[in-house]
Amino acid sequence: MPQDPRAARTRARLGRALLQECAQRPLADVTVAAVVRRADVARATFYLHYPDLETLAVDACADVVRDAVDALHAWRGTPDPDRPPADLCAFFDRIAAHTGLYRQLMGPGGSGPLGHVLHRDLRARSRTERALTGAPLPDLVASAVAATFVGILADWLHGVLDAPPAEITHQVWRMLVHLHRVPAP
């Protein structure tokens, strides 16, 4: 069913407003009043679309989920473990701009609402692609890929893994390529 364009525009305005607020203060300090004021919508309009700020934040960061899933699958043929896709490199560079917000939505190890969404979507995409190519163990490898990527991303965001974006990109890519090479039982 097609989405109402007015509702989509309102959610987009609320999402942009939240990201602008979070650029100035932590999510825990942002209020619904500040978001609706910045988005120039009524408070009641906010609650028509979202039950709370955390739900809006996850929705506003959903692009990160789509970007990560797409970036990890932006290669064709045989992946070179030493050459991550350019989209993956760009993803790690881009996410650094809102590190504070992502930290609040994804705990160390990948817990939290954004971590759960990323894990679910990445697992589904990996499983589908493995199944389409006839690769062995699609469920197991898809779970391993999703857990590895989400865990590394979250730990990097929280400073548990100390590496610049280019270095973490290469490290996570090598690990994921090796996971995909799991032989049939």
Side-chain angles (χ1 to χ4, degrees):
M1 184 170 222
Q3 186 181 35
D4 178 357
R6 293 170 299 170
R9 282 191 301 271
T10 299
R11 284 192 294 275
R13 286 172 67 185
L14 288 166
R16 281 190 303 275
L18 177 78
L19 292 175
Q20 290 167 349
E21 287 293 321
C22 287
Q24 297 175 349
R25 64 188 60 77
L27 178 60
D29 295 341
V30 173
T31 64
V32 171
V35 170
V36 298
R37 187 173 34 256
R38 187 179 286 268
D40 196 27
V41 300
R43 189 177 186 96
T45 301
F46 174 89
Y47 287 109
L48 283 173
H49 296 279
Y50 299 103
D52 53 39
L53 284 173
E54 184 176 274
T55 306
L56 168 60
V58 171
D59 190 41
C61 293
D63 285 342
V64 149
V65 171
R66 285 186 290 277
D67 289 350
V69 171
D70 289 344
L72 285 170
H73 293 89
W75 56 273
R76 291 293 169 249
T78 304
D80 179 350
D82 295 321
R83 297 195 57 167
D87 289 353
L88 186 60
C89 298
F91 166 78
F92 274 97
D93 286 334
R94 203 170 40 251
I95 198 170
H98 296 289
T99 301
L101 176 59
Y102 297 130
R103 277 186 197 134
Q104 292 179 36
L105 298 173
M106 185 185 300
S111 62
L114 190 60
H116 295 297
V117 171
L118 179 55
H119 185 278
R120 180 197 67 213
D121 291 0
L122 182 54
R123 185 185 184 288
R125 176 85 171 267
S126 293
R127 193 216 175 284
T128 298
E129 292 207 5
R130 286 189 71 76
L132 284 173
T133 63
L137 306 169
D139 290 319
L140 181 68
V141 173
S143 289
V145 164
T148 298
F149 182 76
V150 172
I152 290 172
L153 174 61
D155 286 354
W156 178 70
L157 288 169
H158 285 275
V160 175
L161 300 173
D162 184 26
E167 185 179 325
I168 199 70
T169 301
H170 280 81
Q171 291 171 349
V172 75
W173 179 246
R174 270 187 230 107
M175 291 187 78
L176 296 176
V177 167
H178 289 292
L179 283 172
H180 275 286
R181 291 182 175 163
V182 170

